Amino acid sequence: MIGKLFAADLLKTRRTGIWWVVLIGAAGLAAMQALNFGLRYDYLVYDTYAADPWGGLIQETSMFVPIAIYLAMTLLMGMIANIENRQNSWKQTLALPVHRSEVFASKLLCCLVQLLAACVLLAASTAAVGLLLGFGGPLPYLDLLTLGFYPMLASLPMLGVMLWMTLTMRNQAIPISLGIAASMVSVFGASMPEILPLSWPMLVVRGHETLRFVGLGMALFAVLYLLGSIHFSRKDVA
């Protein structure tokens, strides 16, 4: 039954601007670096990153990935929840012969698909920028694919919080404000204590024990998801 719920949720998003958020967010980061390298081509390509232009492009792009991911999680979950709120369709959705936990999981899967699509688009658009700038050598496929994927996995605790809050709170201003604030603070993640989950995406971007913080992000998300699913199942959100 969860497959039908997931298909229905994806169909609902077609009538919103969600996929534009995915496209503009990923392409926007690449476009920003195209402008950055275009304006400072000689300095960046022949001086700063002369030994590895591809690595330089990926490094310059990656510094903005954490804030983009946090903003994407906030906006996407807010828009997904707002579909039900705007149409006052929670009663109809929860009246279906399905467990509430399946409804909760379907909303999560919908957002995850969009985030994964954004990661793929970021990799493709960054590769396109490098090719347009005339970078030689083989494409660093693995580095391009992990450019958004690893920070996204380390950011999953925020998705757990956004999923929980947006689906159980009628007032979307609270979770959206929290998500925007978190995205702004994440810029300084590298200087935060490692115990704070907000620091994990930037630490991953800096190459600091990448797999450790990816694993921590997934583990904490699993806990938050379980708690959120239990709360959603018991709370009257209609």
Side-chain angles (χ1 to χ4, degrees), residues 9 14 16 45 47 86 89 93 96 106 110 134 164 224 231:
D9 282 335
R14 292 177 58 186
T16 68
V45 177
D47 187 3
R86 187 178 64 249
S89 57
T93 300
L96 295 172
S106 175
C110 190
W164 189 347
L224 291 171
H231 184 209

Side-chain angles (χ1 to χ4, degrees), residues 25-214:
L29 284 181
M32 182 171 62
Q33 290 310 314
L35 180 63
N36 178 32
F37 274 77
L39 293 176
R40 303 192 297 160
Y41 189 88
D42 290 341
Y43 171 72
L44 291 174
V45 177
Y46 296 127
D47 187 3
T48 308
Y49 301 118
D52 185 12
W54 279 109
L57 175 61
I58 291 172
Q59 179 179 327
E60 292 284 332
T61 306
S62 67
M63 301 306 296
F64 298 93
V65 169
I67 185 173
I69 289 176
Y70 278 135
L71 283 174
M73 288 178 173
T74 301
L75 293 175
L76 292 174
M77 278 312 311
M79 295 174 75
I80 289 171
N82 192 51
I83 293 173
E84 306 290 348
N85 292 333
R86 187 178 64 249
Q87 298 176 355
N88 292 319
S89 57
W90 275 120
K91 287 184 178 180
Q92 292 88 337
T93 300
L94 298 179
L96 295 172
V98 295
H99 295 293
R100 286 192 173 198
S101 60
E102 292 180 321
V103 176
F104 195 78
S106 175
K107 304 298 183 185
L108 168 65
L109 289 175
C110 190
C111 188
L112 280 177
V113 166
Q114 292 152 3
L115 288 172
L116 290 173
C119 290
V120 173
L121 285 172
L122 176 61
S125 55
T126 302
V129 169
L131 292 174
L132 288 173
L133 290 171
F135 292 172
L139 280 175
Y141 293 104
L142 183 59
D143 291 337
L144 286 168
L145 288 174
T146 57
L147 172 62
F149 187 64
Y150 277 172
M152 189 268 285
L153 291 177
S155 304
L156 283 178
M158 175 56 67
L159 179 58
V161 172
M162 288 295 104
L163 177 70
W164 189 347
M165 294 183 69
T166 56
L167 296 188
T168 58
M169 300 180 69
R170 188 73 177 181
N171 185 359
Q172 296 297 300
I174 296 175
I176 289 177
S177 298
L178 176 63
I180 292 175
S183 68
M184 298 296 108
V185 174
S186 69
V187 175
F188 309 101
S191 60
M192 295 180 187
E194 293 182 0
I195 196 173
L196 296 178
L198 277 178
S199 70
W200 297 347
M202 188 59 76
L203 291 173
V204 166
V205 163
R206 294 288 182 89
H208 182 69
E209 298 184 78
T210 298
L211 294 181
R212 175 192 170 200
F213 291 110
V214 165

